[in-house]
Amino acid sequence: MGRRFARLSEQEQALIARRERVLGPAYRLFYERPIHFVRGEGVWLYDAEGRAFLDAYNNVASVGHSNPVVLEAISRQAATLNTHTRSLHENILTYAESLAATCPDELSQVMFTCTGSEANDLAVRIARNYTGGTGIIVTSHAYHGVTSTVAEFSPSLGANVDLGLHVRTVAPPSSTLPPGEVEAAFCAGVEAAIADLLRHGIKPAMLIVDTIFSSDGVIADPPGFLGKAVAAIRSAGGIFVADEVQPGFGRTGDAVWGYQRHGVVPDLVTIGKPMGNGYPMAGLIARADVIRNFGRQARYFNTFAGSPVAAAAGQAVLDVVIHDDLIGNAKAVGLYLKRQLELFCAISPILGQVRGTGLFIGVEVVNGGVPSPSATARIVNAMRERGVLISASGAHANVLKIRPPLVFSQSNARTFLEVFRLATADVEGRN
Ligand code: PMP
C-alpha cells in the first residue's frame, strides 16, 4: 500500500488491503485520507471513530441520509410483497402517474430501470428505433454511464475508453461568452456535429445532455441556452434526451427537472440517482409517440425495476421533495451559498467563477488564470480534514463540486462557508 494511506489507522489500512485483494484495481477511493463511514443521518455522515462530516456532496441521499419516511415506506412494502412488473400492482401505477404529473403533458409514459446507465442505454435503443438513425451527440466531457453502449458516449471516462464511431462531441454551453451569445454558440456546435455525422453517412438519432452539465464543470446560465440546439437536432431528424440523473428531483431550485430551467420539452427524460434516496432505481419519462413503436417491437422486462418496493421508495422520495418544499429550500439555501461564495471569490487569488443553480454549485479554481487541478484537490482534501465533504469536476478537474442533500439548511450553509474559508486559506498559504 502506498504512502498515500500512511496516516490511516491500522483498521482502515487493513480494509484498503482487503478491498484491493477482493475488488481488484478498478475502484477509486475519495480523498487523500479515505473515510470509513459507518452511519448517516440527514446531512451528516459519521466515521468509525464517531467523527461527524457535513455532507455537501451526496446527491443520492437527497432527502437526507437514513430518511425515516423513505425507510418506513421501503420496510412496510418489503414486509408485505415484493414482486415485479409482470403482475398487477397499484404502487407502480400511482408512482408512474406521480412522475408524469411533474412533467409537461407530452411526457406521459414511464419505464423503469435500476441505474442511470441502464436508463440511458434504453434511451439510445428507443431513439434509434424512433428515428432510424444511429448518431449520438454529447458534450465534450459528458458522463452518461457504464454500459458498453453508454460508455461509448461518456467522454469523461478518458482517453482509454473509446468513443463510438457514431458519436460526436460538442463544447458545452460557454461559461465565458456574453450571456446573449451562449445559446447560438452551443447550437452552432451541435449543427457542426450533425453536419459531420451526415458527411460520414450517419443519420443523427439523439442529442443527449446532462441539463446541469455536471461533469463538464457545472453550467446553468443563462437560462434558456438549450432552445436552439434542441430545435436543430429535431430538424435533423433526431430527438433530444435530457439526462436528469444529476439535476433532477428538485436540485436546481427552479422546478423538479433541470430542463425546465431552459424552457424546452425533451422527447425522453432519463432519471436516477436521488430517485429512491439510495434504493437503486432509475428510469425514463417519455413522449408516448416516441416509445410506441419500440414497445410494439421489443418486449421490455427489467427484473428488479419498478417493483412494489422500488415504487414505494420512489413515491416516498417524491412526496418528501414536494411536501417539504425541498425545491424552495434548494433555491433559497443555494442562492445564499452562491452569493457568499462569490464574495470569497472576489478577494481570492485562486478562486474564479461561481456557477450553478439551487444546490448544485461549481467554483472554478485557477492559478494565474489557468485551471489548477492541484489547488482544487488541495481544497477538497483540506475541507475533508476539516469535516466537510465536497469533490471536483470539469474537463480540467478544477471545479469544486458542491452538491449537498436537498435538506441542507441555512445553518449548514454557514458551517460549510466557514470551513470553505479556512480550507481555501490553507491552500492560499494564509493560515
Ligand atoms: N448520467 C449522469 C449525468 C450521471 O451523473 C450518472 C452517474 N454519475 C449516470 C448517468 C449513470 O448513473 P448510474 O451510476 O446510476 O448508472
Side-chain angles (χ1 to χ4, degrees), residues 115-118 120 143-146 210 214 243 245-246 273:
T115 68
S117 302
E118 278 185 331
N120 285 330
Y143 180 76
H144 294 292
V146 293
D210 161 0
S214 26
D243 181 334
V245 168
Q246 292 278 344
K273 276 193 192 280

Side-chain angles (χ1 to χ4, degrees), residues 18-193:
R18 264 173 77 196
R19 252 176 82 99
E20 288 174 357
R21 215 164 32 242
V22 73
L23 302 185
Y27 287 88
R28 307 286 185 273
L29 284 161
F30 271 172
Y31 306 115
E32 270 167 21
R33 284 207 303 147
I35 315 176
H36 176 196
F37 292 121
V38 293
R39 190 168 73 80
E41 190 179 339
V43 296
W44 297 97
L45 287 167
Y46 298 87
D47 74 6
E49 270 92 56
R51 181 176 180 198
F53 289 81
L54 179 63
D55 185 359
Y57 184 67
N58 272 291
N59 59 342
V60 170
S62 76
V63 298
H65 293 279
S66 310
N67 181 292
V69 177
V70 180
L71 288 180
E72 154 75 12
I74 291 173
S75 50
R76 192 165 2 99
Q77 185 57 50
T80 309
L81 174 77
N82 198 20
T83 51
H84 49 68
T85 51
R86 281 178 165 153
S87 48
L88 296 171
H89 201 277
E90 289 260 352
N91 281 15
I92 187 174
L93 306 179
T94 309
Y95 180 49
E97 285 160 0
S98 306
L99 279 174
T102 64
C103 291
D105 290 348
E106 298 93 312
L107 293 162
S108 59
Q109 297 190 333
V110 187
M111 293 175 76
F112 291 96
T113 64
C114 302
T115 68
S117 302
E118 278 185 331
N120 285 330
D121 197 282
L122 182 59
V124 183
R125 292 179 64 200
I126 292 170
R128 288 180 168 163
N129 177 280
Y130 179 72
T131 63
T134 53
I136 297 170
I137 301 171
V138 292
T139 53
S140 50
H141 206 66
Y143 180 76
H144 294 292
V146 293
T147 70
S148 55
T149 302
V150 179
E152 284 191 352
F153 61 92
S154 292
S156 71
L157 288 172
N160 296 329
V161 179
D162 293 339
L163 292 182
L165 293 173
H166 50 276
V167 173
R168 295 295 179 276
T169 61
V170 295
S174 171
S175 51
T176 51
L177 280 175
E181 296 174 23
V182 175
E183 182 182 5
F186 182 59
C187 179
V190 170
E191 281 171 339

Side-chain angles (χ1 to χ4, degrees), residues 169-381:
T169 61
V170 295
S174 171
S175 51
T176 51
L177 280 175
E181 296 174 23
V182 175
E183 182 182 5
F186 182 59
C187 179
V190 170
E191 281 171 339
I194 292 169
D196 193 56
L197 284 170
L198 293 174
R199 268 195 72 180
H200 289 85
I202 301 167
K203 189 173 178 299
M206 68 182 198
L207 164 68
I208 179 168
V209 302
D210 161 0
T211 62
I212 189 88
F213 297 89
S214 26
S215 55
D216 282 293
V218 188
I219 304 159
D221 288 309
F225 62 43
L226 292 177
K228 289 193 164 118
V230 170
I233 189 70
R234 284 185 179 142
S235 62
I239 64 168
F240 171 59
V241 181
D243 181 334
E244 293 287 336
V245 168
Q246 292 278 344
F249 292 97
R251 178 155 296 278
T252 60
D254 295 312
V256 178
W257 308 110
Y259 66 79
Q260 290 168 294
R261 179 176 181 81
H262 297 293
V264 291
V265 179
D267 301 296
L268 295 176
V269 179
T270 55
I271 61 181
K273 276 193 192 280
M275 191 170 174
N277 209 52
Y279 192 94
M281 56 189 299
L284 60 78
I285 312 175
R287 271 180 30 206
D289 61 311
V290 173
I291 59 172
R292 186 173 300 128
N293 193 52
F294 175 83
R296 283 187 185 138
Q297 291 180 347
R299 166 175 66 82
Y300 178 74
F301 177 60
N302 187 324
T303 306
F304 303 115
S307 72
V309 175
Q315 187 70 54
V317 170
L318 200 54
D319 288 348
V320 173
V321 168
I322 305 292
H323 293 143
D324 293 0
D325 189 24
L326 294 185
I327 302 177
N329 188 65
K331 189 183 192 81
V333 178
L335 200 61
Y336 169 70
L337 260 179
K338 201 173 169 199
R339 293 285 166 266
Q340 297 300 311
L341 287 166
E342 280 165 352
L343 296 179
F344 287 144
C345 291
I347 53 162
S348 165
I350 59 167
L351 299 178
Q353 211 175 40
V354 182
R355 297 195 289 263
T357 177
L359 283 172
F360 205 138
I361 300 175
V363 181
E364 261 185 347
V365 183
V366 288
N367 191 351
V370 178
S372 180
S374 58
T376 312
R378 289 208 298 281
I379 295 174
V380 169
N381 282 296

